[in-house]
Amino acid sequence: MADPGTTTPRERYRSQVRAEIKERAWKQIAAAGASALSLNAIAKQMGMSGPALYRYFAGRDDLITELIRDAYRSLADAFTAAARAEPGLSGPAHALRRWALEEPQRYFLVYGTPVPGYQAPDDINGIAREIMATLLDACAEPPAGPPPGSPVPAASALAEHLAAHRDWAGDHPAPAAGLRRALAVWTRLHGVLSLELAGHFTGMGFDPAVLFAAELESVRSL
């Protein structure tokens, strides 16, 4: 954020209006999902005309991009801070769950159903790769593994496949086993979180936090 002392009153006003637009957009998304986002409805709530609001955001996709960028940046910062405070998988994993529970509308915007017709720009994909790089670093810790003396398992078909299909990992030097482990962590934990946030565990009589912790523990030996 720019230093208020280096910005003009007009720039500060523009920043405040953009922040209010985004705040109202998040409320719309929380109520009806991103596909129902309406700039005209936001303009009406703010006492503005539709064309006036378009001076702040060029269109729906421009606004969605800003919201996704903010959400990814928030998660990336939480991931990085957690990894620095607690090396290994536990820190980033529990940071992901805290962030998702505190910001469910942000979670579903970036990890839920894609917005029809929307394509994220490259800089957002870059933030997503930053998050994945932090996870790959965390997965570099030695796995718990089987008890001493147990047979060494053969390389899995998935690990072999990932060794030749690693675009999603960017230029991270993780070996195939690390890629497999990170992908397992990512899919399993997101699976639990998505079901929890969507309310599918309601009435089942168990604590989703315990399930999340168990899934995290199960991937430590991969």
Side-chain angles (χ1 to χ4, degrees):
M1 182 178 294
D3 182 347
T6 65
T7 58
T8 67
R10 175 174 291 183
E11 289 170 335
R12 291 195 293 274
Y13 175 75
R14 178 177 177 80
S15 178
Q16 291 168 1
V17 173
R18 282 173 59 88
E20 183 177 351
I21 291 170
K22 289 195 288 185
E23 181 180 352
R24 291 181 182 274
W26 281 123
K27 290 179 179 179
Q28 273 195 12
I29 290 171
S35 60
L37 187 63
S38 168
L39 270 68
N40 286 331
I42 293 173
K44 185 176 181 180
Q45 292 170 1
M46 295 178 64
M48 302 169 62
S49 66
L53 188 142
Y54 281 84
R55 292 201 296 268
Y56 298 93
F57 290 96
R60 186 203 67 158
D61 284 4
D62 185 33
L63 176 55
I64 289 175
T65 293
E66 280 291 299
L67 298 176
I68 292 177
R69 183 180 289 118
D70 289 351
Y72 266 131
R73 184 72 266 156
S74 172
L75 177 57
D77 291 346
F79 240 51
T80 299
R84 288 174 177 168
E86 185 178 353
L89 279 172
S90 292
H94 289 295
L96 171 64
R97 185 168 187 271
R98 285 193 299 272
W99 181 83
L101 293 177
E102 291 171 1
E103 310 281 359
Q105 70 276 21
R106 288 170 170 77
Y107 179 87
F108 281 124
L109 182 60
V110 295
Y111 295 119
T113 303
V115 179
Y118 175 77
Q119 181 66 43
D122 288 343
D123 73 298
I124 288 181
N125 294 329
I127 302 173
R129 286 192 292 271
E130 180 183 332
I131 294 169
M132 186 55 67
T134 301
L135 177 62
L136 286 164
D137 288 342
C139 287
E141 66 176 358
S150 299
V152 177
S156 71
L158 176 58
E160 293 177 354
H161 176 78
L162 292 176
H165 299 82
R166 52 185 302 144
D167 290 354
W168 59 276
D171 58 1
H172 197 284
L179 297 178
R180 172 176 173 267
R181 192 172 183 220
L183 196 57
V185 171
W186 201 237
T187 53
R188 291 190 194 182
L189 299 190
H190 275 298
V192 174
L193 283 173
S194 296
L195 290 170
E196 179 181 4
L197 292 175
H200 293 297
F201 295 145
T202 301
M204 294 183 70
F206 66 85
D207 184 352
V210 178
L211 174 60
F212 185 90
E215 285 297 289
L216 175 59
E217 189 62 30
S218 73
V219 296
R220 291 183 185 279
S221 61
L222 294 177

